[in-house]
């Protein structure tokens, strides 16, 4: 089994319900076991496209999938829950990003692990801190990593239970 971390985000439709359904669908997969869920966060949208705020979270999973198999599965779940890829960094019903898979490293046209934008995004690092198995990543505390993004004020805790 491979410990992996997935970032989930939604800003269209019932954001909470979409994230809950995504986690349930992932956990129903025989090759995936959801171990931990972060708190739920509300965040300003990333990029220059005007849109509604996101709900964001990170989950820790165990999986026997190889990286591209996991990508195929997450993209199938995105599609099942209404994801359409129309605008880069645009609004979306569901976005599932593979952040980390143990110590695996890879870079293809379809997938880069660790996620190439992860360290620039407080909306990823803040919830990742909730579930990550260590207090540091690449020798830095999460507080340092989050401060380095410069966009930590764009993430706040959501009071909804999920």
């Amino acid at each position: 089994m491979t410990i992996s971390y997935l970032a989930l985000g939604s800003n269209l439709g019932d954001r909470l319900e979409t994230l809950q359904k995504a986690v349930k669908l992932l956990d129903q997969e025989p090759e995936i076991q959801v171990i931990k869920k972060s708190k739920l966060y509300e965040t300003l949208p990333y990029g220059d496209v005007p849109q509604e705020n996101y709900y964001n979270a990170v989950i820790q999973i165990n999986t026997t999938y190889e990286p591209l198999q996991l990508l195929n599965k997450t993209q199938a779940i995105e599609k099942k829950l209404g994801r359409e890829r129309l605008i880069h960094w645009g609004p979306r019903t569901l976005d599932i990003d593979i952040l980390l898979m143990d110590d695996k490293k890879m870079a293809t046209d379809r997938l880069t692990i660790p996620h190439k934008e992860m360290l620039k995004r407080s909306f990823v690092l803040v919830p990742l801190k909730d579930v990550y198995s260590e207090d540091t990543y690449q020798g830095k505390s999460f507080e340092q990593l989050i401060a380095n993004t410069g966009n930590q004020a764009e993430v706040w805790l959501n009071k909804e239970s999920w």
Side-chain angles (χ1 to χ4, degrees):
M1 298 288 272
T2 301
I3 296 284
S4 304
Y5 297 88
L6 306 179
L8 293 85
S10 175
N11 79 334
L12 290 176
D14 187 330
R15 301 170 294 175
L16 178 61
E17 181 180 18
T18 299
L19 295 180
Q20 289 170 328
K21 284 181 179 178
V23 171
K24 184 176 181 180
L25 288 169
L26 286 162
D27 205 35
Q28 289 174 347
E29 284 296 315
E31 305 297 325
I32 298 172
Q33 177 188 16
V34 175
I35 305 299
K36 291 181 191 173
K37 296 188 308 184
S38 72
K39 297 171 189 151
L40 183 65
Y41 295 89
E42 188 159 351
T43 65
L44 295 178
Y46 191 79
D48 297 328
V49 179
Q51 57 190 299
E52 298 298 320
N53 288 348
Y54 277 81
Y55 277 9
N56 287 101
V58 171
I59 59 172
Q60 180 191 72
I61 64 169
N62 262 336
T63 185
T64 56
Y65 282 136
E66 291 299 316
L68 290 175
Q69 292 174 309
L70 182 59
L71 178 65
N72 290 338
K73 182 51 62 182
T74 60
Q75 288 181 340
I77 289 171
E78 288 175 342
K79 187 172 183 179
K80 182 174 185 165
L81 294 178
R83 168 82 185 259
E84 294 180 300
R85 296 176 183 274
L86 302 175
I87 303 169
H88 185 62
W89 287 339
R92 53 199 70 181
T93 307
L94 178 63
D95 187 30
I96 304 173
D97 287 335
I98 301 170
L99 303 176
L100 301 163
M101 292 186 77
D102 276 343
D103 58 358
K104 293 181 191 282
K105 291 183 176 18
M106 68 176 291
T108 70
D109 290 343
R110 291 189 63 212
L111 180 62
T112 300
I113 299 174
H115 190 285
K116 62 185 173 184
E117 299 289 322
M118 180 176 81
L119 297 179
K120 298 177 184 176
R121 299 174 174 177
S122 58
F123 68 85
V124 170
L125 293 171
V126 171
L128 179 60
K129 178 184 174 197
D130 290 346
V131 296
Y132 193 64
S133 58
E134 305 288 331
D135 292 333
T136 61
Y137 178 72
Q138 294 184 342
K140 293 184 179 176
S141 73
F142 276 91
E143 288 76 15
Q144 289 173 301
L145 294 170
I146 293 164
N148 288 345
T149 68
N151 55 26
Q152 63 270 28
E154 299 172 2
V155 178
W156 57 94
L157 186 62
N158 186 292
K159 301 267 191 265
E160 291 194 69
S161 174
W162 81 294

